[in-house]
Amino acid sequence: MSRSAHPAGPRHADVLPEGHYSAPPADLNALDPKVWAQTVERGEDGVVTVGGISVTQLAEEYGTPAYVLDEADFRARARAWRTAFGADADVFYAGKAFLSRAVVRWLHEEGLNLDVCSGGELATALSAGMPADRIAFHGNNKSPQEIERAVRADVGRIVLDSFQEIARVAHIAQSLGKRQRVQIRITVGVEAHTHEFIATAHEDQKFGIPLAGGQAAEAVRRALQLDGLELIGIHSHIGSQIFDMSGFEVAAHRVVGLLKDIRDEHGVELPEIDLGGGLGIAYTSDDDPREPHEIAKSLTEIVTRECESAKLRTPRISVEPGRAIVGPTAFTLYEVGTVKPLEGLRTYVSVDGGMSDNIRTALYDAEYTVALVSRTSDAEPMLARVVGKHCESGDIVVKDAFLPGDLAPGDLIAVPATGAYCRSMASNYNHALRPPVVAVSEGEARAIVRRETEEDLLRLDVG
Ligand code: LLP
């Protein structure tokens, strides 16, 4: 809405996003367990703790901004997915959400597999000891070098994304004297109810091979003929931050339909299907994500039912949750630098990070909440916008949230649910130094990714 529509200046109703934050929450000091990591609580002194450590101590030791990750919560969520799907299915954690060597070790210990989508992610996985046969290699344009490295390492599967890649992987595998296990990623034509940039199963986009027009069937024909490839299954990933299971239902129906066509045409029953990741998490109290056991039950039932009616053996199912495992386990801790009330509008709260550590608000219009964590306050709520320190007015971390009216420079505030796609999409914009990831567990904290230094920046600047 343009300002000129209201010559007297916008009223509050104009600046509040529809359906959100029309009223401040009853208690600004309360921490909704839906959006905060499991071990987060507010101590009697008003300071928030995680894994038994106070945020003030963490800020002192590691500085701000910092991503603070609750290791117990990460392991619990990983285990919940593993247990929910059981021994007849595989859970591949999507490394793009956040990957470090500690994370790889936790996944290994908790019995999960790993999905990587670049040479860098593959290197991280291998260097932390993830067995290669538990790694899936993704991507819509893997380089020949990346493919060769994955084949040489004997990764469990490469997910093929195009006709060129079918030929490329087959050629590389054959020239290395190997037969690479592969899946073919198809687009099933589902419109996932999520942001356009993170929806991936409609046909007009870069990922996968369309089921429509017989392209997927042709891809299967080619893959089955090539000596360098062992086609083990079909892959579908419909998008991200999805709450509604109906998209998965349609996808499963269409993938099984293709398996049936393959059986009818080639006499081959492919043993695996992968339904991708994409399950949503709670970024605000309004979001209601599904539990892993509900998701597992629903996906398994859909696939089993579809296979029964197609008279196919039920294939081994795999899934690739990223956000749903790591997203809720971390928050970003910031120090408030300036507080700028704009009469009749809102108060701008500037923190010591911004779009360089969380690009999701600028990129996807993502919603986040925020809380004052270094103390409690009984002050009246103020409508705030949490912004970063970058040279850009779109540098917004939390668009609209209520914070206590006595918020002041030096206070620590934290944005929950930043475990996924924040550190992994962080940048050096304005030569910002990317924050550390500090893992806390049972009263101990350690940086699993350290803060960048100016030395790190200058090391790359060889001119
Ligand atoms: N499998 C495949 C093939 C994927 O492409 C992705 C995500 C996943 C699994 C994991 O999806 P998840 O369970 O984490 O939703 N940067 C965006 C998300 C991009 C997701 C890309 N692919 C965001 O910040 O929302």
Side-chain angles (χ1 to χ4, degrees), residues 62-69 98-100 331-335 351-359 389-390 397 418 422-429 431-439 446-453 456-457:
Y62 297 96
T64 53
Y67 304 101
V68 181
L69 193 157
F98 171 63
L99 196 64
S100 79
F331 59 82
T332 315
L333 186 61
Y334 298 104
E335 186 178 308
V351 294
D352 45 1
M355 65 195 299
S356 55
D357 59 71
N358 187 348
I359 190 67
K389 58 184 289 173
H390 296 282
V397 181
T418 58
C422 286
R423 180 59 180 79
S424 67
M425 293 173 79
S427 78
N428 290 122
Y429 183 36
H431 281 200
L433 304 169
R434 285 177 297 176
V437 180
V438 180
R446 70 195 162 104
I448 55 171
V449 178
R450 70 159 168 79
R451 184 182 302 284
E452 260 177 340
T453 61
D456 292 328
L457 280 186

Side-chain angles (χ1 to χ4, degrees), residues 92-97 115 117 138-139 159 185 197-198 200 207 235-237 239-242 274-280 283 319-325 359-360 363-364 368 420-422 424-425:
F92 286 75
Y93 168 79
K96 66 204 83 184
D115 139 16
C117 66
H138 269 282
V159 182
R185 178 167 175 176
F197 292 175
I198 52 178
T200 55
F207 292 109
H235 184 286
S236 155
H237 169 76
S240 265
Q241 187 57 6
I242 296 167
D274 190 306
L275 293 172
L279 280 310
Y283 283 101
V319 286
E320 300 172 335
R323 186 191 325 259
I325 292 178
I359 190 67
R360 298 195 68 261
L363 196 53
Y364 315 116
Y368 284 95
Y421 304 109
C422 286
S424 67
M425 293 173 79

Side-chain angles (χ1 to χ4, degrees), residues 149-437:
R149 192 162 175 203
V151 174
R152 277 189 192 279
D154 289 322
V155 298
R157 66 169 79 142
I158 294 182
V159 182
L160 302 171
D161 197 85
S162 65
F163 284 97
Q164 280 100 350
E165 203 169 76
I166 292 173
R168 209 171 277 158
V169 172
H171 174 75
I172 291 171
Q174 208 175 1
S175 65
L176 293 171
K178 301 211 181 212
R179 192 147 184 260
Q180 177 61 50
R181 289 159 59 87
V182 295
Q183 291 189 343
I184 293 176
R185 178 167 175 176
I186 65 166
T187 47
V188 292
V190 172
E191 294 286 340
H193 298 287
T194 188
H195 190 280
E196 178 194 353
F197 292 175
I198 52 178
T200 55
H202 52 297
E203 274 136 21
D204 187 2
Q205 46 101 14
K206 70 170 185 168
F207 292 109
I209 298 177
L211 190 59
Q215 293 198 58
E218 176 57 21
V220 169
R221 241 165 255 138
R222 293 197 197 172
L224 285 173
Q225 278 167 11
L226 292 163
D227 289 339
L229 305 181
E230 179 189 349
L231 181 61
I232 56 167
I234 300 295
H235 184 286
S236 155
H237 169 76
I238 61 172
S240 265
Q241 187 57 6
I242 296 167
F243 292 104
D244 179 1
M245 294 301 287
S246 62
F248 290 97
E249 184 147 355
V250 177
H253 172 76
R254 297 191 182 159
V255 170
V256 173
L258 178 62
L259 293 187
K260 180 172 173 290
D261 292 347
I262 296 168
R263 192 253 338 257
D264 293 347
E265 182 179 343
H266 305 278
V268 176
E269 289 197 32
L270 296 184
E272 295 184 8
I273 70 172
D274 190 306
L275 293 172
L279 280 310
I281 62 161
Y283 283 101
T284 74
S285 300
D286 294 338
D287 297 326
D288 282 310
R290 302 279 192 109
E291 293 294 324
H293 65 266
E294 290 176 76
I295 296 161
K297 185 165 178 284
S298 152
L299 290 182
T300 312
E301 277 173 9
I302 297 165
V303 174
T304 310
R305 192 185 60 219
E306 294 293 327
C307 287
E308 268 167 17
S309 76
K311 300 203 167 43
L312 281 168
R313 267 194 308 274
T314 306
R316 189 174 178 87
I317 300 173
S318 53
V319 286
E320 300 172 335
R323 186 191 325 259
I325 292 178
V326 71
T329 68
F331 59 82
T332 315
L333 186 61
Y334 298 104
E335 186 178 308
V336 173
T338 67
V339 177
K340 190 185 285 183
L342 295 185
E343 194 54 41
L345 288 170
R346 72 185 87 231
T347 297
Y348 277 79
V349 173
S350 293
V351 294
D352 45 1
M355 65 195 299
S356 55
D357 59 71
N358 187 348
I359 190 67
R360 298 195 68 261
T361 308
L363 196 53
Y364 315 116
D365 232 0
E367 305 247 2
Y368 284 95
T369 59
V370 59
L372 170 60
V373 288
S374 49
R375 62 183 174 93
T376 51
S377 166
D378 295 328
E380 285 297 304
M382 65 175 179
L383 179 64
R385 175 163 287 177
V386 179
V387 296
K389 58 184 289 173
H390 296 282
C391 299
E392 203 159 313
S393 49
D395 173 25
I396 296 168
V397 181
V398 186
K399 258 186 310 186
D400 294 286
F402 284 95
L403 280 166
D406 64 350
L407 193 78
D411 279 332
L412 297 176
I413 61 176
V415 176
T418 58
Y421 304 109
C422 286
R423 180 59 180 79
S424 67
M425 293 173 79
S427 78
N428 290 122
Y429 183 36
N430 296 136
H431 281 200
L433 304 169
R434 285 177 297 176
V437 180

